[in-house]
């Protein structure tokens, strides 16, 4: 089992920044590819980006490229999502997820999920 706990969400004005953290406990963190997803009200859970087990490879969905950065610190069992130049359309609940099979763009491939943290961007 892997337990994931997100933190760092909140209310921010458009153009601002937030950094989300996802702390993992349980099994060996570096065994898992990690993903960040988000879900706005009435919409499906969408991929934000992924990071490989050692943090050497990242992937971002087009809407966040150049604004968001995913990183991880395996010594601290934590993955981060740095969000800059935030837009109102970034408003959503943000989730981190762990995939023992590596990274994937599909939520169904992930084995463990955090409870989510709300990000609200005001215009």
């Amino acid at each position: 089992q892997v337990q994931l706990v997100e933190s760092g969400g909140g209310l921010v004005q458009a153009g601002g920044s937030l950094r989300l953290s996802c702390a993992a406990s349980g099994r060996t963190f570096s065994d898992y590819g990690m993903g960040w997803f988000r879900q706005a009200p009435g919409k499906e859970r969408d991929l934000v980006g992924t990071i490989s087990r050692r943090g050497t490879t990242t992937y971002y969905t087009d809407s966040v490229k150049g604004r968001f950065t995913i990183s991880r610190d395996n010594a601290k069992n934590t993955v981060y999502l740095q969000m800059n130049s935030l837009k109102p359309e970034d408003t959503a609940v943000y989730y981190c997820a762990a995939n023992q099979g590596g990274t994937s763009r599909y939520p169904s491939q992930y084995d463990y999920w955090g409870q989510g943290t709300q990000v609200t961007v005001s215009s």
Side-chain angles (χ1 to χ4, degrees):
Q1 282 277 16
V2 174
Q3 292 78 43
L4 302 172
V5 179
E6 300 98 337
S7 61
L11 173 64
V12 63
Q13 288 189 332
S17 298
L18 282 174
R19 187 173 85 152
L20 306 184
S21 299
C22 171
S25 61
R27 295 188 175 177
T28 305
F29 180 61
S30 59
D31 285 347
Y32 294 83
M34 299 297 294
W36 282 98
F37 293 80
R38 64 187 180 184
Q39 188 167 19
K43 296 190 176 180
E44 293 185 350
R45 191 169 296 189
D46 292 329
L47 176 71
V48 174
T50 64
I51 188 165
S52 59
R53 293 182 179 95
R54 285 191 265 180
T56 53
T57 303
T58 54
Y59 169 84
Y60 302 95
T61 194
D62 285 346
S63 61
V64 308
K65 279 181 184 175
R67 300 189 298 123
F68 291 11
T69 303
I70 299 174
S71 60
R72 67 189 294 166
D73 185 339
N74 286 344
K76 294 184 178 180
N77 293 345
T78 302
V79 62
Y80 304 97
L81 177 64
Q82 177 68 44
M83 305 185 293
N84 299 328
S85 303
L86 282 161
K87 304 176 181 180
E89 51 263 44
D90 295 318
T91 295
V93 177
Y94 283 71
Y95 299 89
C96 65
N99 178 6
Q100 193 166 17
T103 55
S104 171
R105 303 178 188 182
Y106 304 104
S108 61
Q109 297 294 312
Y110 285 78
D111 304 296
Y112 303 102
W113 291 83
Q115 82 289 351
T117 186
Q118 176 71 47
V119 171
T120 303
V121 184
S122 63
S123 57

